Amino acid sequence: MAFRDLIRERFFPHIWCPGCGHGTVLNSLLHVVDKMGLDPTSMCMVSGIGCSARISGYVNFHTMHTMHGRALPCATGIKLAKPQLNMIVPMGDGDAMAIGGNHFIHACRRNIDMTAIVLNNRIYGMTGGQYSPLSGRGVLATTAPYRSIDDDFDAVALAQGAGATFVARTTAFHVKELSKILTKAIQHKGFSVVEVMVQCPTYFGRKNKMGGAVQLLEYYRDNTAPLGSKKLEENQNLIPRGIFVERERPEYCEEYQNVIALAEGKE
Amino acid sequence: MSATQQDVRFVQGNEACVRGALYAGLRFFAGYPITPSTEIAEHLAENLPKVGGTFVQMEDEIASMCAVCGASLAGSKSMTATSGPGFSLKQEAIGYAAMAEIPCVVVDVQRAGPSTGLATKVAQADVNQARWGTHGEHSIVTLTASTVQDMFAVTVEAFNIAEAYRTPVILLFDEVMGHMRERLVIPPAGELPVTERLRTAVKPGVNYHPYLPREDGRLPMSDYGDIHRYHVTGLYHDIWGFPTEQPEQVNKLVHHLVDKIEGRVHELARWKEFYLEDAENVLISYGSAARSARHLVETRRQKGHRVGLLELQTIWPFPKDLVREKTANAKNVFVVEMNMGQVMAQVKQAVDNPDHVYLVNRVDGTLVTPTDIGNVMRVIEGKGV
């Protein structure tokens, strides 16, 4: 398959800032889809609002750029109407965890077959650098000029607690791991959540004096460690990466087929 | 059931709406429990899977409207149902459906508001919300009904209009209509016209432009999952569906969204009329209030009074010319509704003599009665209270 058939070249160059991590996720995703040999007409991407949400414009899938926080319920409607589609739902941290938080936990609970990617740059980028539910205590943002007093969600723990059957975390620095995890997430039958820690040099890096894209990527390299690694064992302050949950539970669309069979009196 | 046997039922209005939706080919419903519309969800939970369709109870009203947008783009005729508080929440995605031109039907079985209001009591105060509830310039179609049989028929119409013009259509019912039981005759398949979605004839390998109108102005669709892959957004967009900020294209899209509805006022107008030919006093009403208006008209006609009724089934786009024409020879016009005059304001704008338009209303959670109407008429006619 021609790799070029997976993107919409006419809409490039993309809108992201130089050094933004979103492009790395897009790149990884396209390679994964290409490598897995997925038919692009079987691919559907649904996104919400924010910098990350613009990914849906650039991929040559069936794409729906929806409302802030509403990607998952829109995707749920599509998936229930056309269960054969492979659903990819990229969301920002504010998109997924603040305004879309209720939809997020219920999508996890339903275990509907789709891959949710939380592109966590710990900031609202599109609106110019406000703190998000994943920013965490002590972060500087335009709406936290005296540092944030809000504790953050652990997106992985939240997804796990809400019942997602595949939960993973990686970063834009660990590109090979990212592709491996995305492959497994797409292959997984059920609701998959992949948190990707991505750098926002323009707002998060600058505001918090953490440097540019390179420094932020180095931060992800130095402050994370794989699950089960010695490095993580020795330093509890590191952020764990890897696959946290991978289990089977009845998938929602398949379960609904049973409802149809019951209603039609076939069972 | 044999071919000669009629399908006759004794059902609530909410069930008639469900039967109408299934007749029109509904295949996807997403909802959230709310009085007094819940029976619609309950009946569809039972009946949609019987026809291979999908019912889903979402986590909230917002999610249900979003799921409807998604399912419609994937090719299913889609609907949701709610009441006032839920209707407020759905406005965000109703705007999305208007902007992205997604066919869908939204039922609002009205109860008294604002806020939680009176959860089990009747009102008709969401008329303006149906038109202006979502932000930004757009237009929308809103239909009503005053009998259980008509609730069936306008529900079929709502789907036909939604599919033909790629627009959300609001079915503005009310608590009395939703819960009232009456005889419903379900016509055999094929008796009422059912409009199917216009799908693109563009062949594989040829570019499909989702927002490029044909010569007749219509936009053929392509289902998600079919050969054509395209973009849909709530942003102003070009013929590719891709975001644009070009003033010329933005201006064009605003006009298209408004004109495709407002330019079809005559085509979209549905109404019923009773004794209007020689009527000196014309009542204008809709929904359950029209039942009281009809009763008053019938009893007064028996006494030889020249009174008639215009029942509006299409409220938006407001059929201005129709109202003006039907009231041209009237001395007085009485608008009977259960709000503070939301349709009356439209009537006043439509008629030549707005000073002779009077409101007969009730806003206490109970049905406006024929006596209420008669009392106001007596005052206006100078016959005392």
Side-chain angles (χ1 to χ4, degrees):
Chain A
M1 182 199 344
F3 191 80
R4 281 192 159 174
D5 193 33
L6 297 179
I7 55 169
R8 292 168 174 150
E9 278 185 274
R10 81 174 68 85
F11 301 139
F12 282 83
H14 60 64
I15 64 157
W16 298 312
C17 304
C20 172
H22 294 341
T24 308
V25 179
L26 171 61
N27 186 28
S28 170
L29 179 73
L30 291 171
H31 277 98
V32 164
V33 171
D34 186 43
K35 251 197 187 142
M36 289 175 76
L38 296 168
D39 175 1
T41 58
S42 78
M43 301 300 297
C44 182
M45 183 183 278
V46 184
S47 63
I49 293 295
C51 297
S52 62
R54 293 303 186 96
I55 287 186
S56 63
Y58 304 123
V59 297
N60 196 16
F61 305 160
H62 305 285
T63 56
M64 186 177 182
H65 177 229
T66 69
M67 297 145 276
H68 197 22
R70 316 296 178 219
L72 285 169
C74 290
T76 299
I78 296 172
K79 180 71 179 175
L80 282 168
K82 283 266 170 78
Q84 67 271 32
L85 286 171
N86 290 308
M87 307 298 298
I88 311 282
V89 186
M91 296 172 282
D93 41 310
D95 203 28
M97 300 283 130
I99 195 162
N102 195 34
H103 308 310
F104 181 82
I105 55 172
H106 287 275
C108 292
R109 173 180 64 81
R110 251 178 233 119
N111 196 36
I112 187 160
D113 185 24
M114 52 181 77
T115 300
I117 307 171
V118 181
L119 293 96
N120 175 16
N121 58 13
R122 303 175 69 191
I123 203 90
Y124 286 87
M126 191 68 101
T127 45
Q130 298 75 36
Y131 71 96
S132 93
L134 296 191
S135 293
R137 196 177 273 274
V139 157
L140 285 164
T142 58
T143 46
Y146 307 107
R147 296 191 182 275
S148 168
I149 55 166
D150 282 37
D151 283 320
D152 53 344
F153 271 138
D154 178 336
V156 163
L158 186 65
Q160 199 170 342
T165 48
F166 182 98
V167 184
R169 178 192 287 129
T170 183
T171 86
F173 176 82
H174 304 90
V175 283
K176 282 186 181 161
E177 183 181 272
L178 171 60
S179 294
K180 232 183 260 172
I181 284 176
L182 282 178
T183 306
K184 283 196 169 175
I186 293 170
Q187 281 166 345
H188 178 76
K189 188 102 194 154
F191 193 73
S192 308
V193 177
V194 180
E195 179 191 354
V196 188
M197 301 181 75
V198 290
Q199 71 279 10
C200 173
T202 304
Y203 292 110
F204 190 85
R206 192 159 49 100
K207 200 87 196 164
N208 287 283
K209 301 198 168 41
M210 287 173 73
V214 174
Q215 288 74 35
L216 286 166
L217 283 167
E218 283 170 351
Y219 176 87
Y220 291 141
R221 179 194 64 193
D222 299 338
N223 289 278
T224 65
L227 276 172
S229 66
K230 206 164 177 207
K231 198 177 159 193
L232 188 64
E233 208 177 293
E234 284 166 359
N235 185 353
Q236 298 290 317
N237 292 325
L238 297 178
I239 301 165
R241 303 192 320 269
I243 297 168
F244 294 75
V245 178
E246 196 174 8
R247 64 188 175 95
E248 276 185 37
R249 193 152 68 78
E251 193 275 329
Y252 198 77
C253 297
E254 287 183 358
E255 287 292 280
Y256 199 77
Q257 286 309 308
N258 297 333
V259 171
I260 289 177
L262 274 171
E264 288 173 342
K266 285 178 188 160
E267 267 181 20
Chain B
M1 194 177 307
S2 76
T4 50
Q5 210 178 338
Q6 269 194 326
D7 186 354
V8 184
R9 299 163 192 235
F10 184 65
V11 296
Q12 284 190 325
N14 280 343
E15 185 177 347
C17 170
V18 165
R19 295 291 155 193
L22 291 169
Y23 188 94
L26 174 77
R27 284 299 174 272
F28 184 88
F29 179 94
Y32 187 83
I34 184 167
T35 306
S37 80
T38 308
E39 295 86 0
I40 294 175
E42 289 172 340
H43 282 289
L44 284 168
E46 185 183 341
N47 290 294
L48 256 179
K50 287 183 186 169
V51 295
T54 304
F55 166 90
V56 61
Q57 183 173 311
M58 295 297 285
E59 57 271 19
D60 58 32
E61 299 275 7
I62 299 169
S64 343
M65 190 61 216
C66 291
V68 161
C69 290
S72 181
L73 286 171
S76 297
K77 286 189 176 180
S78 302
M79 177 172 103
T80 185
T82 188
S83 186
F87 195 45
S88 294
L89 291 166
K90 288 189 196 299
Q91 294 300 333
E92 179 191 27
I94 290 172
Y96 185 84
M99 176 59 118
E101 301 187 67
I102 302 171
C104 57
V105 175
V106 180
V107 186
D108 174 14
V109 186
Q110 296 169 95
R111 67 192 223 189
S115 191
T116 315
L118 296 167
T120 61
K121 305 290 181 190
V122 71
Q124 294 177 313
D126 301 350
V127 170
N128 283 334
Q129 191 185 17
R131 176 66 185 86
W132 299 110
T134 198
H135 60 278
E137 197 62 83
H138 68 289
S139 194
I140 207 153
V141 180
T142 301
L143 306 177
T144 71
S146 71
T147 70
V148 166
Q149 188 70 47
D150 285 351
M151 282 178 79
F152 178 95
V154 299
T155 302
V156 177
E157 288 269 6
F159 279 92
N160 290 348
I161 293 166
E163 295 292 337
Y165 305 116
R166 291 191 58 171
T167 178
V169 175
I170 313 295
L171 282 171
L172 206 55
F173 299 140
D174 57 61
E175 187 277 331
V176 168
M177 291 315 306
H179 287 158
M180 186 167 67
R181 279 180 196 275
E182 277 185 316
R183 179 184 150 97
L184 170 68
V185 183
I186 298 180
E191 192 175 302
L192 296 184
V194 169
T195 304
E196 293 310 328
R197 184 172 297 188
L198 180 66
R199 289 181 168 87
T200 181
V202 170
K203 295 195 167 53
V206 181
N207 281 331
Y208 161 67
H209 300 94
Y211 295 99
L212 178 65
R214 300 196 310 189
E215 273 181 18
D216 61 1
R218 294 184 68 185
L219 298 170
M221 297 184 77
S222 179
D223 301 346
Y224 279 164
D226 283 356
I227 44 171
H228 298 294
R229 287 166 271 149
Y230 64 98
H231 195 53
V232 173
T233 177
L235 288 164
Y236 277 95
H237 45 270
D238 58 19
I239 57 169
W240 295 97
F242 204 71
T244 179
E245 289 179 349
Q246 292 289 321
E248 199 184 311
Q249 296 197 39
V250 172
N251 183 59
K252 206 173 153 186
L253 182 49
V254 174
H255 280 93
H256 166 70
L257 294 180
V258 172
D259 293 350
K260 74 171 183 179
I261 308 291
E262 300 300 326
R264 292 190 168 95
V265 177
H266 293 282
E267 231 171 297
L268 295 168
R270 308 280 186 277
W271 74 94
K272 285 177 141 181
E273 53 180 272
F274 305 91
Y275 311 107
L276 283 184
E277 304 76 26
D278 62 343
E280 287 177 348
N281 289 317
V282 170
L283 308 188
I284 297 178
S285 192
Y286 53 94
S288 60
R291 298 295 288 259
S292 297
R294 173 101 190 264
H295 183 87
L296 177 116
V297 167
E298 297 286 355
T299 48
R300 283 208 166 195
R301 274 283 164 181
Q302 280 170 14
K303 295 176 192 161
H305 295 195
R306 288 162 69 181
V307 55
L309 167 66
L310 173 64
E311 181 196 333
L312 298 178
Q313 291 190 321
T314 303
I315 295 191
W316 305 113
F318 192 76
K320 217 172 176 176
D321 292 344
L322 175 83
V323 167
R324 184 167 179 266
E325 190 188 303
K326 299 291 180 190
T327 59
N329 301 317
K331 277 190 193 162
N332 301 305
V333 175
F334 298 88
V335 181
V336 185
E337 56 183 338
M338 287 174 285
N339 58 49
M340 297 296 274
Q342 296 186 20
V343 164
M344 182 194 68
Q346 297 299 318
V347 171
K348 278 187 181 255
Q349 282 185 29
V351 300
D352 292 328
N353 196 349
D355 291 345
H356 288 193
V357 176
Y358 304 95
L359 175 66
V360 183
N361 73 344
R362 200 169 254 283
V363 287
D364 59 0
T366 64
L367 184 66
V368 64
T369 63
T371 310
D372 294 330
I373 304 167
N375 287 344
V376 174
M377 288 178 78
R378 264 193 296 281
V379 172
I380 302 305
E381 289 166 338
K383 292 174 186 167
V385 185

